[in-house]
Amino acid sequence: MIDPAVEQMLLKDPKSYVISADVVANVTATNTLEHAFMVLSKVGYSRIPVLTPDDRLQGMISLAAISEYLLHVPGAAVEQLSRYTVADAMLPVNRWVSDPTKLETILNYLVDEPFIPLVDDDKVFQGIITRRELLKRINFMAHNLHKYYDVTAKEKVADQAEK
């Protein structure tokens, strides 16, 4: 369980760590792998969301997934990227959140993932929560805790720190 004071500081402005869907690079399952490759190369992300035409989260695509798929294509070459679609190499979405204030879940997911998709109850893509943006909030908290709280060590903890 996250300490309530820590949670309150991290949640001071949840929008500060959510990157809105309208600025997140994405592709559709019908785009070619060549298109996905170019988008991934241009934005510099390790993976991006795959959305349906009505903006529902459908999967993820990464350079690694594209490479892995091409390894199984006879005579695999970069020239063949235009012959296949994102749907051919797309990865399933195993983790997402629908509430950006569920910090316990978000922090647990971000241990293993660079970002977590944020969707509404109908799976419509709302944006992403990145490890980087949440670390910025943690950095803010670490540098400003004293402005909001008086932190005093408990005797037992203070005694252990001296040993």
Side-chain angles (χ1 to χ4, degrees):
M1 185 170 134
I2 297 174
D3 183 274
V6 170
E7 186 171 45
Q8 185 177 8
M9 284 195 72
L10 289 175
L11 290 176
K12 202 163 202 54
D13 183 14
K15 290 179 183 170
S16 70
Y17 58 82
V18 174
I19 299 173
S20 177
D22 58 345
V23 297
V24 176
N26 63 76
V27 293
T28 65
T30 57
N31 288 133
T32 65
L33 286 180
E34 179 180 38
H35 176 75
F37 180 83
M38 289 188 312
V39 172
L40 282 159
S41 298
K42 180 78 173 169
V43 298
Y45 292 151
S46 59
R47 65 181 181 176
I48 55 174
V50 179
L51 305 180
T52 63
D54 58 350
D55 292 333
R56 284 180 167 64
L57 184 62
Q58 187 173 8
M60 294 288 178
I61 192 70
S62 66
L63 289 173
I66 294 170
S67 298
E68 179 67 25
Y69 181 78
L70 284 179
L71 289 175
H72 300 289
V73 172
V78 176
E79 295 83 39
Q80 294 194 33
L81 285 173
S82 61
R83 294 184 189 173
Y84 300 98
T85 66
V86 169
D88 295 320
M90 181 174 64
L91 304 168
V93 179
N94 296 319
R95 295 176 171 175
W96 67 88
V97 293
S98 55
D99 183 351
T101 65
K102 298 291 184 188
L103 285 177
E104 186 92 28
T105 300
I106 292 166
L107 288 170
N108 283 325
Y109 287 173
L110 288 176
V111 168
D112 298 318
E113 307 289 344
F115 70 87
I116 301 299
L118 176 66
V119 297
D120 68 12
D121 292 335
D122 295 321
K123 293 272 179 19
V124 174
F125 183 65
Q126 301 297 305
I128 59 175
I129 299 170
T130 66
R131 188 183 300 151
R132 179 180 189 266
E133 293 303 316
L134 202 51
L135 281 172
K136 285 181 185 178
R137 292 297 306 158
I138 292 169
N139 186 47
F140 168 82
M141 182 188 65
H143 288 90
N144 293 285
L145 184 65
H146 69 282
K147 294 177 184 176
Y148 298 91
Y149 296 95
D150 292 323
V151 180
T152 306
K154 294 181 179 181
E155 278 186 46
K156 209 177 214 184
V157 174
D159 290 343
Q160 288 174 354
E162 291 175 9
K163 291 180 183 180

